[in-house]
Amino acid sequence: MNNRYKTLEILYSIVQDTPSPTRYSCKPNQIILRQTLPWDAIIVHLEELAAEDLVLFKQRGVDSTVTLTEEGLAFITSGTYRLQH
């Protein structure tokens, strides 16, 4: 599985139990705590996921946020990403 989709899985695990998973703005430190990759690699993943419209990634230093989009929610819950190399 592509590592960016692992980062997407981690984001989904953070927001899946919230009342509105696509409205929850995740802080980067929530992802860092669950990911074994360095922050620079995670940023690249988030930028790639944003380019695919799977997340909204707003970089504002310590106030950066990541939000799962409707497309991202459908993609991660479909499981088709596991078939991609």
Side-chain angles (χ1 to χ4, degrees), residues 14-34:
I14 294 168
V15 303
Q16 70 182 348
D17 293 327
T18 64
S20 296
T22 58
R23 293 189 181 185
Y24 183 87
S25 292
C26 180
K27 294 288 187 180
N29 66 339
Q30 293 174 281
I31 296 171
I32 293 169
L33 292 172
R34 293 167 175 87

Side-chain angles (χ1 to χ4, degrees), residues 55-69:
V55 301
L56 295 174
F57 179 42
K58 297 179 183 174
Q59 286 188 275
R60 295 181 292 230
V62 295
D63 291 327
S64 296
T65 59
V66 182
T67 307
L68 188 64
T69 63

Side-chain angles (χ1 to χ4, degrees), residues 32-72:
I32 293 169
L33 292 172
R34 293 167 175 87
Q35 181 69 286
T36 58
L37 298 172
W39 177 237
D40 293 346
I42 295 170
I43 286 195
V44 170
H45 292 173
L46 294 173
E47 290 171 343
E48 291 172 347
L49 293 167
E52 293 180 58
D53 295 323
L54 301 177
V55 301
L56 295 174
F57 179 42
K58 297 179 183 174
Q59 286 188 275
R60 295 181 292 230
V62 295
D63 291 327
S64 296
T65 59
V66 182
T67 307
L68 188 64
T69 63
E70 291 291 337
E71 293 86 356

